[in-house]
Amino acid sequence: MEIKVQKREQWRNKREYILAVAGNLVGLGNVWRFPYLCYKNGGGVFLLPYCFFAVLCGAPLFLLETVVGQFTQEGAITCWTKLCPLAQGVGYSIIVIQLFSRIYSIILAWSLFYLIYSFRAQLPWASCDNDWNTDRCVELSSLNWTAGHNGNLTANWTSETLTSSSASEFWERRVLSMSGGIEEVGMVRWELVLCLLACWAACYFCIWKGVHSTGKVVYFTAVFPYVMLAILLVRGLTLPGAWQGVVFYLYPDPSRLADLQVWMEAASQVLFSYGVASGSLSTLGSYNKSNNNCYKDSLWLCLLNSATSFVAGFAVFSALGFMAHQQGVSIDMVTDSGPGLAFIAFPQAVAMMPLPQLWAVCFFIMLILLGLDTLFAGLETITSSVCDMFPMQMRRPWRRELFLLLFCFLCFLIQISFCAQGGVYVFQLIDYYGANGACLLFVSIVECVAVGWAFGADRMYDVVEDMVGQRPCFLFKLCWRYITPTICLVCFICSFLDNKPLTSSQGYMYPDWAYRLGWAMAISSIVPVPIWAIGKFCLTKGNFRQRLSVLWHPDDPATKTSQQKPTEHLPSEAEMKSLTAYSPDMA
């Protein structure tokens, strides 16, 4: 009996696509990284380098990847065979980056852990009356706690000679139960393991039926975080001290523009927040109908992403301004980034508000949904790439579901190590090296070369016009060929010149073997490009020029646009003679 091979899916309507991409773009970095970078790098002045990279790198790469996906109707790996076969290694680099990015599911587990504790009558991180607290624990509601301390609040929390806050002790001693270093694995926290299992189960069922299930889920997971953000924004701006926090967030310091690090952090933030060089944009775009106006969609989605980052800063810093006002200290003593903001600073600010349980629930639900959208978009990227590489095997009933179940289960088993007492050190190592900005910059350079030069920017313009009925702005052609790859190359070189070894927030230095492992992870997402190119070149027949001609240009006739109309086939003289020989009417 013949087994039916299923066709490749498509979005049922444009709304599903817009919400899926918006959910993928607007993630944790918009809430806990952009506001901190803005404050750290000159306030409102930081918007200048941010907009510079957003216009000349973020938007062009966003449009490029979306067009590639919609045009080829293929996943992150096989799409390059229709554009530049020599560059197909970039697809494997993207998959390696996505594999490293699966570590962020532990952040969902931490958020779920906090959410569960948010339903208690008293928030456990607001007091020092718990089993995990030490004698150095001090409740930050005390106005004179920081009166005798100078410097950053996080440093005060972790210093052996100073007191520590109730929020930091809940995070470090209750949630993580941190060991002394990466060498001390310690015991597994089974409460975190259950939270991690719940998060992976949620990710699986969000995409187990492909875009048909994802399209339904995003109506909630992409919209509800905006509702939560709006609630927290309104509440934050109505608190005493909120204006002080907003001024601190945006107060301009033009002298910071002379610092190279400011520009590097702006470039990194744009690449991460726009979701480029991760394969998700091309994957989600590949489920569009071929005549979808991806040009207009891309511009609006880029604007939405940047606007969300900017507005999130008001919600975060208004709450931090309130906490500083309550304690009678400057805002720089309560400001942090990343997990320090999400799991120490902001929960402490929430604990000092009226109805703290309500605001804590809103905040952690928002974090979970922001992370969930990004995670299952990455899962879809990996799954669709495998299905497109092996369509005859994977597009059969239940093959996709079983592969996805096995992949999620393996990821869960591996990430149990993150739930151990030394797991946070492993997480920080992979986060710092495995999927860093340099890897994204390298992939972005290769994509621009493959599309702008191998396939041809003019040809890609014809493709866009054929699909949407209009040609993009001339700036995009300049960016694809010259501006974007040049900027990415400069930033890629500078990222190595300005590289610093990873240290934890407590000043912990990793052992030498950990740094070597980190560099191995960083290189592993770069080497697939040259390895594939060299291997493909060696296996292709012909001399050097013939091989380069075959591999540099597309090998699929589908890349010809409708403007290149094929000539009609005319029968040859031999075919005419054979026809007359068998047809008496033509004799």
Side-chain angles (χ1 to χ4, degrees), residues 309-327:
S309 298
F310 182 68
V311 172
F314 288 92
V316 171
F317 272 87
S318 61
L320 296 180
F322 163 73
M323 185 165 69
H325 173 79
Q326 292 294 98
Q327 297 172 8

Side-chain angles (χ1 to χ4, degrees), residues 23-24 27-28 98 100-109 196 199-200 202-204 206-207 280 367-382 404 407-408 415:
N24 175 51
L28 298 170
Q98 284 290 356
F100 285 130
S101 299
R102 297 310 94 209
I103 66 167
Y104 297 115
S105 57
I106 192 64
I107 297 178
L108 298 189
L196 181 65
C199 294
W200 272 110
C203 288
Y204 173 76
C206 282
I207 68 166
S280 299
L367 283 188
I368 291 172
L369 294 180
L370 286 174
L372 187 63
D373 277 328
T374 305
L375 279 176
F376 70 61
L379 274 179
E380 182 61 40
T381 300
I382 296 172
L404 186 61
F407 180 79
C408 291
Q415 291 178 4

Side-chain angles (χ1 to χ4, degrees), residues 197-233:
L197 178 61
C199 294
W200 272 110
C203 288
Y204 173 76
F205 285 109
C206 282
I207 68 166
W208 75 311
K209 288 294 185 182
V211 295
H212 287 167
S213 58
T214 305
K216 297 175 183 178
V217 171
V218 292
Y219 279 100
F220 174 72
T221 59
V223 174
F224 198 68
Y226 280 95
V227 177
M228 294 292 98
L229 182 61
I231 292 173
L232 293 172
L233 175 63

Side-chain angles (χ1 to χ4, degrees), residues 104-132:
Y104 297 115
S105 57
I106 192 64
I107 297 178
L108 298 189
W110 295 335
S111 301
L112 181 58
F113 191 89
Y114 269 84
L115 178 63
I116 294 171
Y117 272 89
S118 297
F119 290 98
R120 290 197 171 187
Q122 182 183 21
L123 295 180
W125 57 83
S127 67
C128 294
D129 303 328
N130 306 287
D131 296 338
W132 57 83

Side-chain angles (χ1 to χ4, degrees), residues 86 105 132 267 335 397 515:
L86 195 65
S105 57
W132 57 83
T335 303
Y515 290 119

Side-chain angles (χ1 to χ4, degrees), residues 56-337:
L56 298 181
C57 292
L61 286 170
F62 189 102
L63 177 62
L64 182 149
E65 294 188 11
T66 304
V67 171
V68 165
Q70 181 171 313
F71 170 58
T72 61
Q73 302 283 292
E74 295 282 350
I77 295 178
T78 52
C79 66
W80 296 102
T81 60
K82 298 183 178 181
L83 300 175
C84 176
L86 195 65
Q88 191 173 347
V90 75
Y92 294 99
S93 291
I94 286 172
I95 296 302
V96 174
I97 292 174
Q98 284 290 356
L99 291 175
F100 285 130
S101 299
R102 297 310 94 209
I103 66 167
Y104 297 115
S105 57
I106 192 64
I107 297 178
L108 298 189
W110 295 335
S111 301
L112 181 58
F113 191 89
Y114 269 84
L115 178 63
I116 294 171
Y117 272 89
S118 297
F119 290 98
R120 290 197 171 187
Q122 182 183 21
L123 295 180
W125 57 83
S127 67
C128 294
D129 303 328
N130 306 287
D131 296 338
W132 57 83
N133 293 125
T134 64
D135 295 336
R136 297 187 299 114
C137 179
V138 176
E139 298 179 10
L140 287 186
S141 56
S142 175
L143 294 179
N144 60 5
W145 181 80
T146 53
H149 299 82
N150 295 318
N152 185 273
L153 186 61
T154 305
N156 291 339
W157 288 346
T158 57
S159 174
E160 292 294 333
T161 59
L162 299 177
T163 54
S164 59
S165 73
S166 56
S168 66
E169 288 204 350
F170 179 79
W171 166 244
E172 295 175 0
R173 298 178 62 84
R174 179 67 183 94
V175 180
L176 300 179
S177 188
M178 293 175 62
S179 64
I182 195 172
E183 309 96 328
E184 302 176 22
V185 178
M187 297 177 59
V188 173
R189 303 297 309 280
W190 293 107
E191 294 168 305
L192 279 181
V193 172
L194 293 177
C195 291
L196 181 65
L197 178 61
C199 294
W200 272 110
C203 288
Y204 173 76
F205 285 109
C206 282
I207 68 166
W208 75 311
K209 288 294 185 182
V211 295
H212 287 167
S213 58
T214 305
K216 297 175 183 178
V217 171
V218 292
Y219 279 100
F220 174 72
T221 59
V223 174
F224 198 68
Y226 280 95
V227 177
M228 294 292 98
L229 182 61
I231 292 173
L232 293 172
L233 175 63
V234 173
R235 181 55 186 148
L237 292 176
T238 57
L239 293 169
W243 178 247
Q244 178 188 358
V246 171
V247 171
F248 199 80
Y249 167 46
L250 295 176
Y251 187 79
D253 181 10
S255 64
R256 296 289 293 150
L257 292 178
D259 189 353
L260 176 64
Q261 187 64 28
V262 173
W263 294 83
M264 291 297 298
E265 291 187 343
S268 177
Q269 175 62 19
V270 167
L271 291 179
F272 277 109
S273 66
Y274 275 59
V276 299
S278 65
S280 299
L281 297 177
S282 56
T283 299
L284 297 176
S286 69
Y287 296 120
N288 279 329
K289 294 180 174 61
S290 59
N291 62 348
N292 176 66
N293 194 338
C294 55
Y295 176 53
K296 183 175 69 175
D297 294 344
S298 298
L299 297 181
W300 280 111
L301 286 166
C302 289
L303 182 61
L304 173 67
N305 179 50
S306 296
T308 303
S309 298
F310 182 68
V311 172
F314 288 92
V316 171
F317 272 87
S318 61
L320 296 180
F322 163 73
M323 185 165 69
H325 173 79
Q326 292 294 98
Q327 297 172 8
V329 298
S330 61
I331 299 180
D332 60 338
M333 297 185 68
V334 299
T335 303
D336 207 342
S337 177

Side-chain angles (χ1 to χ4, degrees), residues 4 7 16 42 46 70 97 188 237 242 273 278 280 283 296 323 340 439 485-486 504 521 538-539 560 568:
K4 183 179 180 181
K7 293 183 179 179
E16 293 181 353
F46 181 72
Q70 181 171 313
I97 292 174
V188 173
L237 292 176
S273 66
S278 65
S280 299
T283 299
K296 183 175 69 175
M323 185 165 69
C439 302
T486 302
S504 70
M521 289 188 291
C538 294
L539 295 176
K560 298 180 180 180
E568 296 181 1

